[in-house]
Amino acid sequence: MSKLIKPQGYTALLDMVQTEHGIKQIKEFFQQNISTELRLRRVTAPLFVLQGLGINDDLNGVERAVTFPIKDLGDAKAEVVHSLAKWKRLSLAENNIAPGYGIYTDMNAIRADEELDNLHSLYVDQWDWEAVIRPEQRTVAFLKNVVERIYAAIRRTEYLVCENYPCIKPFLPEKITFVHSEDLLAMYPDKSPKEREDAICEKYGAVFLIGIGGKLANGEKHDGRAPDYDDWTTVGENGKAGLNGDILIWYPVLGRSFELSSMGIRVNKEALLRQLKIEDKEERQQLYFHKKLLAGELPESIGGGIGQSRLCMVLLHKAHIGEIQASIWPDDMRQECKAMGMNLI
């Protein structure tokens, strides 16, 4: 309960019926916008994959996947996906997607190791997307352009919500600001990574934080990233490492920074080998996904995930993600949330 943020005087602006309608409108409108903006077509994705192929997303490398035996496969183990970062790249290859085009899908995951609070649930739903790029597009400039287009789709969706529900007022800034994690450390050397995110988001309103996964000048990582999907070691034209990052906003309802998306240009052969060595995970070269990448059988790509419940939470001005999605919460959290006007589904 210590991690529960308790906004003073919180009152939900929409009742349950309005909230459910709002969720539907946001999801339908945003996915149409993002698919048009980035030229993505919808595909059907798995809820689980076979264990041991290296297809599942390892996130920070410590989270346990939910696993179960498959009777008709001799009790071979399947695991519920954490995200579809690697599966999407395999799908791009299988479908011969051309450069400049891509795919998106509804990703549903179970993350049993999450610490439950206003933003974190056992259930994760996001739009996972991936697009084929040309080798010469592996640049910070290209990454920034894609981020700006995603942010524009988010703001268009905010406008729709405010038009439909006049009690909700827009708060997202017109522009998103780009900051590298090394520069953020230099700006706030005495703060923790989370405190640095809060400070920069409060200052600018919306930030794309570049370069997450590698060690910074202080010898610490801003945050963890698996070594085999995002490229966080290639040095860009700004002289700093990292072709990935997070879309963060300042969320006034909770008075803190709020992550809406994690994304990046994906590893090529050189970056994969480099990052596996840094993380002492070189044995992964023998896995199915990694073999295909190292053999040049997977396209260059950019991709990420955009939280569905998180986007709805922000645009409907809710204080707890449990007001948007059905999940499992501790009884004492449910009771305390109810007393504060956060009615968890």
Side-chain angles (χ1 to χ4, degrees):
M1 294 301 296
S2 62
K3 289 187 175 265
L4 184 66
I5 301 173
K6 308 169 185 178
Q8 294 297 315
Y10 172 73
T11 301
L13 299 179
L14 305 180
D15 62 26
M16 187 60 72
V17 173
Q18 291 172 316
T19 298
E20 294 286 8
H21 280 301
I23 292 170
K24 179 176 182 291
Q25 290 169 348
I26 290 169
K27 290 187 175 182
E28 289 178 347
F29 184 83
F30 180 78
Q31 68 179 344
Q32 289 175 348
N33 265 262
I34 199 68
S35 63
T36 301
E37 185 69 53
L38 300 183
R39 295 193 287 188
L40 311 173
R41 65 178 178 84
R42 191 187 183 282
V43 298
T44 300
L47 176 61
F48 40 80
V49 294
L50 280 173
Q51 193 177 67
L53 297 180
I55 298 175
N56 203 356
D57 180 358
D58 297 297
L59 300 175
N60 293 323
V62 297
E63 293 87 351
R64 298 171 300 168
V66 175
T67 62
F68 59 93
I70 305 172
K71 181 180 178 181
D72 275 3
L73 293 181
D75 279 347
K77 289 288 184 68
E79 54 187 34
V80 177
V81 297
H82 278 142
S83 85
L84 297 167
K86 299 168 190 168
W87 178 88
K88 291 177 297 180
R89 203 164 174 184
L90 292 168
S91 182
L92 291 176
E94 291 170 1
N95 289 281
N96 295 312
I97 304 294
Y101 295 87
I103 60 174
Y104 81 95
T105 189
D106 292 297
M107 191 285 298
N108 299 286
I110 300 172
R111 296 184 182 171
D113 288 334
E114 287 284 13
E115 295 185 12
L116 306 181
D117 57 24
N118 301 65
L119 306 184
H120 297 91
S121 169
L122 299 175
Y123 169 62
V124 176
D125 57 339
Q126 61 188 37
W127 291 285
D128 252 342
W129 65 275
E130 199 84 11
V132 178
I133 64 174
R134 298 184 299 274
E136 61 268 24
Q137 291 176 313
R138 299 180 58 82
T139 67
V140 174
F142 180 78
L143 174 65
K144 288 181 176 180
N145 177 263
V146 175
V147 169
E148 288 172 338
R149 290 156 65 188
I150 293 172
Y151 185 68
I154 291 172
R155 289 193 69 242
R156 284 195 293 271
T157 309
E158 181 188 44
Y159 176 78
L160 171 78
V161 172
C162 295
E163 281 288 287
N164 289 334
Y165 303 100
C167 60
I168 296 177
K169 305 302 179 185
F171 69 94
L172 294 175
E174 181 180 353
K175 302 293 184 183
I176 188 167
T177 300
F178 294 91
V179 180
H180 195 280
S181 55
E182 285 284 8
D183 296 326
L184 188 62
L185 172 62
M187 293 167 67
Y188 306 105
D190 299 326
K191 294 182 181 293
S192 69
K194 180 64 183 66
E195 290 170 340
R196 297 197 290 270
E197 290 182 1
D198 287 345
I200 200 68
C201 286
E202 186 172 17
K203 180 176 181 179
Y204 291 112
V207 171
F208 185 72
L209 186 61
I210 303 173
I212 299 177
K215 289 184 179 180
L216 303 176
N218 64 353
E220 300 175 358
K221 298 179 180 181
H222 181 84
D223 199 359
R225 285 292 187 277
D228 40 18
Y229 58 100
D230 280 354
D231 184 341
W232 39 262
T233 53
T234 293
V235 176
E237 54 265 56
N238 58 6
K240 300 181 180 71
L243 294 176
N244 71 337
D246 290 342
I247 296 177
L248 307 168
I249 64 164
W250 177 254
Y251 190 41
V253 174
L254 297 179
R256 57 158 289 168
S257 60
F258 192 113
E259 179 188 324
L260 288 177
S261 175
S262 176
M263 58 175 286
I265 293 172
R266 307 307 197 184
V267 291
N268 56 12
K269 177 180 178 179
E270 293 75 23
L272 175 64
L273 292 173
R274 184 167 59 243
Q275 293 178 184
L276 289 178
K277 185 175 182 178
I278 290 172
E279 295 295 308
D280 196 24
K281 302 286 186 182
E282 292 175 284
E283 73 280 358
R284 291 190 186 180
Q285 295 178 41
Q286 304 307 313
L287 297 175
Y288 173 76
F289 171 85
H290 302 70
K291 282 183 175 180
K292 290 185 76 69
L293 178 55
L294 293 173
E297 297 174 10
L298 302 181
E300 300 269 11
S301 68
I302 184 173
I306 303 165
Q308 294 189 16
S309 290
R310 284 198 171 197
L311 184 63
C312 292
M313 178 182 169
V314 163
L315 298 186
L316 298 178
H317 294 204
K318 299 292 186 178
H320 197 291
I321 200 165
E323 297 178 86
I324 297 295
Q325 59 163 242
S327 187
I328 297 173
W329 308 99
D331 287 340
D332 54 353
M333 181 181 285
R334 280 190 173 275
Q335 293 168 7
E336 192 163 356
C337 286
K338 185 176 181 180
M340 292 186 293
M342 306 179 206
N343 294 311
L344 307 189
I345 297 173

